[in-house]
Amino acid sequence: MNDHALEVLEFERVLERVDLRAASEPGRARTRSLRPSIDPTYVKRELDRVTAVQRLVEDRPEWAPGPIPDVGEEMAQLRVDGAVLESIGVHRLGVLLGRSRGLLRSLSGENAFPELGSVTERLVDLNDLEDLLHRSVDEEGAVSSRASRELKQIRDRLRGAQTRIVRKLEAFLGTLPDRFLVGDASVTIREGRYVIPVRREGKGEVGGIVHDESQTGATLYIEPPVAIEATNELRGLEREEAREIRRILGELTERVAAHRLEVKGAFDALVDFDSLHARARAARTWKATAPD
């Protein structure tokens, strides 16, 4: 069927109505890519698959497969030797594995649908890997202290170093004459360094490094000499933390890469099902049935 015929039939508008019911952008894209076919085998297969999901939707109208994270970029990275995934990518892959396991469970056992074998045979249950990814990276995409003992130790030392710097600066503030102090002065951070707000005329008394100033220029944010060495130690611990995070992400990337083809298959199956689910929901709304 040529493009002009599809345009006359407003086929794209129909697909737009259907893809609104998909749970994720990959599923919407799959639905928008659909085109009519004149292959009877393919047409019957697709009608049977949509009808099977229709039965599922009718039996469990409140059930939904959940959004599918788009892991296309992560899958491309996994094909490159030595690549290291970003932490947010690791989180997305953990969510993907959870979606795969959940859908496989929903479509198995007493709830099995033979027509959906092309979906279920690609889904995977990699529970150990899924748990590892969720334990290592939180929902915000940050590497968790639970990811390794070394990371937890480094972060404990970091918190201790931060506390010591703040206490030193608070004590230093207490030694300054009132004429140099800003109202409600407290320790703050500028350019990643711990500083105290001081009136401009107190700069010579405080010494150290000016990292910022107020809009009027009356207040300077100064890192006094008493804090410089301690902050340098803090920067060293932050570099240790970054190296450990990089090591953890490298190990996680290797673990996922060992199952790359299985993960890719699960992603494709989830996208396939998302499109089927959108079509089935549209069919239910329109009271549609598959023709003989």
Side-chain angles (χ1 to χ4, degrees), residues 67-196:
I68 306 161
D70 189 347
V71 296
E73 184 177 335
E74 285 75 25
M75 297 311 303
Q77 284 184 275
L78 290 174
R79 292 197 295 268
V80 180
D81 290 339
V84 177
L85 295 172
E86 296 293 330
S87 56
I88 190 63
V90 171
H91 172 68
R92 280 195 286 261
L93 287 166
V95 173
L96 175 73
L97 291 178
R99 294 279 185 266
S100 174
R101 177 177 50 81
L103 182 58
L104 182 60
R105 184 174 299 173
S106 296
L107 299 180
S108 301
E110 296 180 359
N111 302 316
F113 294 88
E115 304 92 335
L116 300 178
S118 58
V119 173
T120 56
E121 67 189 13
R122 291 176 292 166
L123 294 171
V124 295
D125 183 351
L126 299 174
N127 195 45
D128 289 344
L129 179 59
E130 179 190 341
D131 285 345
L132 175 64
L133 300 184
H134 284 312
R135 188 169 64 250
S136 301
V137 180
D138 64 24
E139 293 182 358
E140 303 299 323
V143 176
S144 169
S145 295
R146 298 185 300 165
S148 79
R149 181 182 302 173
E150 292 78 7
L151 184 59
K152 183 180 184 308
Q153 290 174 344
I154 292 169
R155 285 178 172 171
D156 288 343
R157 288 158 59 199
L158 263 171
R159 281 191 291 272
Q162 290 165 344
T163 300
R164 286 192 296 274
I165 292 172
V166 171
R167 285 176 179 170
K168 279 186 177 182
L169 289 176
E170 286 176 342
F172 181 74
L173 268 173
T175 67
L176 294 177
D178 289 344
R179 67 181 184 279
F180 296 151
L181 295 178
V182 177
D184 298 324
S186 62
V187 179
T188 186
I189 297 176
R190 290 292 189 276
E191 299 178 350
R193 309 290 290 193
Y194 286 81
V195 297
I196 55 174

Side-chain angles (χ1 to χ4, degrees), residues 261-281:
L261 295 180
E262 296 167 87
V263 175
K264 176 65 165 59
F267 174 65
D268 290 341
L270 287 166
V271 173
D272 188 14
F273 185 83
D274 194 15
S275 176
L276 288 169
H277 190 250
R279 285 178 264 170
R281 288 180 60 200

